[in-house]
Amino acid sequence: MSESKKLNKQGLTEEQFLAAYDASKFDRPSMTVDMLIFTVTDEKKENYRKLPQKVLRLLMIKRGDHPYIGQWALPGGFVNMDENLEDGALRELKEETNIDNIYMEQLYTWGDVNRDPRTRVISVSYMALVDSSNLNIKASDDADDAKWFTVSCNMYQEQKTLTEKGYILQRLYNLKLSNEEENLSAVIKTVKTVEGKISRVEREIVESNGIAFDHAKIIQYAIERLRNKIEYTDIAFNLMPARFTLTELQQVYEVILDKELLKANFRRKIADMVIETNEYTKDAGHRPSKLFKFNPNWNDASE
């Protein structure tokens, strides 16, 4: 007997069950998507003879309507009933920032009951790393503005408490976003509870200044994930131009990880991930440096 002909406990076939199904039996929460678009750029040069420092930036939009009117949020919006999550994410990104044709990976689903004052809203966040020099950012739709913010997130307090079955690890993070006109900030608390082989992590916004909704903890989580992924994947190369120096690549790793790396160790780590070219830099005031390109077959070489 085919699956569609089988009867349930009420004696209905699948076709009969679906014809009689009442979709209003359960409340329908709204579904949104939020996008974290990261890039790494050079700080403005004060001395052309010095290599510019790299900074991590995040794209934010200024809300043009309630709730949180005038505050800054991640690009995003509501998903239509007839579109896939990924399609909704790409559509909203295009509508609010004029960005399209970029690869985004799903990051996490946020479902706290009171995370949006309008109604019950569940949001799926996506993350992308891009070379911003190729993007034409322009606010549109319901966004008043779209700007890149230099972003940093640092842990400043940690407390571990032992329990009968494991431990509780509490951490406090300072999140800062800034550009020439705006300074945003938040304090996020994470609590990791470990009981035997079971662990869970809860995040709470202790304080938020200028960042809408619960987006501060979404940003903190994204940076945490980004720092983990850069250690074992080639995700950092999404931030690089077609040709780059090893010093530039190391700077990208350092700004994301928020720590200095030993040159020799770093070059051993990425040796299989790059291919040497016969080209050199032509920057005025600097000695020419060898240029490299990404090796798409690096995984094969390392096996």
Side-chain angles (χ1 to χ4, degrees):
M1 181 183 295
S2 67
E3 294 293 325
S4 61
K5 298 300 182 184
K6 289 183 177 180
L7 304 181
N8 66 4
K9 293 179 180 179
Q10 287 73 42
L12 300 175
T13 65
E14 182 178 294
E15 183 179 6
Q16 292 170 331
F17 169 81
L18 292 175
Y21 184 75
D22 180 10
S24 65
K25 183 178 179 181
F26 300 99
D27 291 337
R28 294 184 179 183
S30 295
M31 177 65 71
T32 62
V33 284
D34 292 306
M35 282 73 73
L36 296 112
I37 312 300
F38 289 101
T39 191
V40 170
T41 61
D42 293 338
E43 283 189 322
K44 292 182 179 179
K45 292 184 180 180
E46 295 182 0
N47 184 338
Y48 81 98
R49 290 188 177 277
K50 291 184 178 180
L51 289 173
Q53 294 298 306
K54 303 286 186 184
V55 291
L56 180 66
R57 297 190 194 274
L58 176 67
L59 185 62
M60 301 284 282
I61 60 106
K62 191 173 187 178
R63 289 191 54 77
D65 199 359
H66 298 296
Y68 299 103
I69 188 169
Q71 294 196 31
W72 291 84
L74 296 167
F78 289 89
V79 178
N80 295 326
M81 287 292 287
D82 61 348
E83 68 181 345
N84 298 328
L85 284 174
E86 290 81 0
D87 294 337
L90 292 170
R91 173 184 55 78
E92 283 288 345
L93 190 63
K94 175 64 175 177
E95 288 177 358
E96 291 195 331
T97 68
N98 197 43
I99 295 177
D100 58 5
N101 295 323
I102 66 169
Y103 168 76
M104 296 187 293
E105 64 177 65
Q106 197 172 119
L107 182 68
Y108 195 75
T109 301
W110 305 88
D112 288 354
V113 174
N114 298 315
R115 61 180 303 274
D116 192 310
R118 291 169 291 190
T119 185
R120 177 72 197 277
V121 176
I122 297 171
S123 184
V124 178
S125 54
Y126 288 81
M127 180 171 69
L129 272 68
V130 298
D131 178 1
S132 58
S133 62
N134 298 321
L135 300 179
N136 178 27
I137 305 300
K138 182 175 65 176
S140 56
D141 195 39
D142 60 350
D144 265 3
D145 204 354
K147 288 186 181 298
W148 292 104
F149 281 77
T150 298
V151 57
S152 66
C153 188
N154 302 298
M155 182 183 69
Y156 70 91
Q157 189 178 107
E158 182 178 66
Q159 180 180 345
K160 186 175 184 179
T161 306
L162 298 179
T163 64
E164 289 185 5
K165 297 181 179 180
Y167 63 88
I168 298 173
L169 181 62
Q170 178 176 298
R171 289 171 171 166
L172 289 174
Y173 292 87
N174 258 331
L175 174 67
K176 294 182 180 179
L177 296 99
S178 62
N179 56 28
E180 294 82 3
E181 301 170 359
E182 302 273 354
N183 289 291
L184 316 176
S185 64
V187 175
I188 300 99
K189 178 171 72 174
T190 68
V191 180
K192 181 178 182 180
T193 303
V194 177
E195 294 182 348
K197 296 181 180 179
I198 300 173
S199 67
R200 68 178 184 274
V201 178
E202 297 176 343
R203 286 176 169 79
E204 175 190 345
I205 298 175
V206 178
E207 178 185 315
S208 183
N209 300 299
I211 305 174
F213 302 103
D214 58 352
H215 291 185
K217 67 178 180 181
I218 298 178
I219 296 168
Q220 183 274 327
Y221 177 74
I223 292 174
E224 184 178 293
R225 279 284 300 275
L226 179 57
R227 287 172 177 168
N228 288 334
K229 286 181 71 69
I230 200 174
E231 294 281 15
Y232 64 89
T233 72
D234 56 28
I235 191 172
F237 289 87
N238 291 325
L239 298 166
M240 306 305 297
R243 300 289 188 272
F244 50 84
T245 68
L246 295 184
T247 298
E248 289 171 333
L249 182 61
Q250 182 170 336
Q251 285 182 333
V252 167
Y253 272 77
E254 288 177 337
V255 74
I256 291 175
L257 293 171
D258 195 29
K259 64 180 181 182
E260 291 187 6
L261 302 174
L262 292 174
K263 181 177 177 180
N265 291 349
F266 174 76
R267 297 198 173 187
R268 279 196 298 271
K269 175 185 174 68
I270 55 90
D272 293 333
M273 303 170 77
V274 297
I275 298 173
E276 185 176 341
T277 74
N278 293 321
E279 302 170 52
Y280 290 83
T281 57
K282 299 176 182 178
D283 295 339
H286 304 130
R287 291 178 57 188
S289 298
K290 176 78 77 170
L291 290 171
F292 291 76
K293 62 182 180 179
F294 173 59
N295 176 15
N297 301 313
W298 73 274
N299 260 327
D300 298 334
S302 61
E303 289 178 356

